[in-house]
Amino acid sequence: DSGVTQTPKHLITATGQRVTLRCSPRSGDLSVYWYQQSLDQGLQFLIQYYNGEERAKGNILERFSAQQFPDLHSELNLSSLELGDSALYFCASSVSENQPQHFGDGTRLSIL
Amino acid sequence: DQQVKQNSPSLSVQEGRISILNCDYTNSMFDYFLWYKKYPAEGPTFLISISSIKDKNEDGRFTVFLNKSAKHLSLHIVPSQPGDSAVYFCAPHGYNFNKFYFGSGTKLNVKP
């Protein structure tokens, strides 16, 4: 158990819809990261927050947004969903940016 | 922009033998290298890391070697065990920039 909790585990929705993925980081971790993994590919970094502030951005689409709340949990919002957005979305957390990341078990998003 | 490459999608070895997983990177600014292991239906878990000031780091059965001039690192597992069967990702990181990269992974199968 990594201590990182992601909800929901599975999400099925339709094109054009909007969903919110939630992540609770490991206790004490200030940094939260979001990744997308499509079809047995590598993890693509989306965005990172540190103590509520956006710290780094990767290949995140404009239709996607995220935030980290004062209690350090984070949400990833995906809107105007397309079939290609079907993927596993992982959240990870770490004490600081230069420490190994601890991953949740992911949210599997299926767009029909 | 493929900063990290794991050219072997899969590897099969006999229990007790050595497993060697390879990773190549292009950006000389990377100075901290991590390996993660991933079982099906779980998030990646941190396995071992190496700093660019070293060329070898050992932790039990796992050893990571870094060749900076070749921009190449490898993970050795000796002896390999069936429980090591998983997907292994290399993840280089740079202290001076905030992008987080993962290779596409190598699926290791250790046969009993």
Side-chain angles (χ1 to χ4, degrees):
Chain A
D1 182 8
S2 68
V4 178
T5 303
Q6 288 187 248
T7 56
K9 290 191 185 306
H10 302 277
L11 201 47
I12 301 174
T13 188
T15 55
Q17 296 298 306
R18 182 179 189 277
V19 297
T20 298
L21 312 185
R22 183 188 166 99
C23 171
S24 293
R26 203 176 58 140
S27 178
D29 287 356
L30 298 178
S31 208
V32 170
Y33 313 78
W34 286 98
Y35 293 88
Q36 179 192 56
Q37 186 183 28
S38 304
L39 283 173
D40 294 327
Q41 293 181 14
L43 282 72
Q44 297 294 317
F45 169 64
L46 295 178
I47 198 164
Q48 178 215 355
Y49 282 82
Y50 181 82
N51 203 19
E53 300 285 330
E54 181 184 304
R55 185 63 67 98
K57 239 176 180 177
N59 300 322
I60 188 166
L61 300 172
E62 286 192 11
R63 299 185 285 108
F64 296 1
S65 64
Q67 54 184 326
Q68 186 180 28
F69 294 87
D71 67 353
L72 300 178
H73 92 271
S74 178
E75 292 180 357
L76 178 67
N77 300 296
L78 315 176
S79 62
S80 302
L81 287 168
E82 302 175 359
L83 293 176
D85 298 328
S86 295
L88 258 176
Y89 291 85
F90 286 104
C91 169
S93 71
S94 65
V95 172
S96 67
E97 290 139 337
N98 298 324
Q99 295 295 317
Q101 298 173 22
H102 303 269
F103 283 79
D105 289 337
T107 293
R108 182 170 293 282
L109 176 63
S110 298
I111 313 300
L112 303 180
Chain B
D1 177 4
Q2 272 204 300
Q3 302 257 2
V4 193
K5 282 186 183 177
Q6 292 179 255
N7 290 319
S8 298
S10 63
L11 176 67
S12 187
V13 301
Q14 206 67 38
E15 181 179 6
R17 305 297 290 268
I18 185 170
S19 295
I20 300 176
L21 295 90
N22 294 303
C23 177
D24 296 295
Y25 61 96
T26 56
N27 194 330
S28 57
M29 295 290 287
F30 290 135
D31 48 16
Y32 182 46
F33 304 85
L34 303 96
W35 284 92
Y36 289 83
K37 179 169 74 172
K38 184 183 182 303
Y39 292 118
E42 296 182 9
T45 55
F46 169 68
L47 184 60
I48 191 170
S49 64
I50 187 168
S51 165
S52 60
I53 63 173
K54 295 186 174 182
D55 54 19
K56 176 182 173 181
N57 188 28
E58 194 170 351
D59 184 2
R61 298 184 296 111
F62 301 91
T63 303
V64 57
F65 295 91
L66 175 62
N67 182 334
K68 282 176 291 185
S69 60
K71 295 191 180 68
H72 176 83
L73 63 155
S74 61
L75 174 68
H76 293 211
I77 306 173
V78 183
S80 301
Q81 298 174 355
D84 296 329
S85 297
V87 178
Y88 290 79
F89 295 98
C90 74
H93 182 55
Y95 285 114
N96 295 320
F97 62 93
N98 283 329
K99 292 277 188 180
F100 299 92
Y101 297 95
F102 279 72
S104 53
T106 296
K107 186 174 185 178
L108 174 65
N109 179 33
V110 180
K111 296 177 287 187

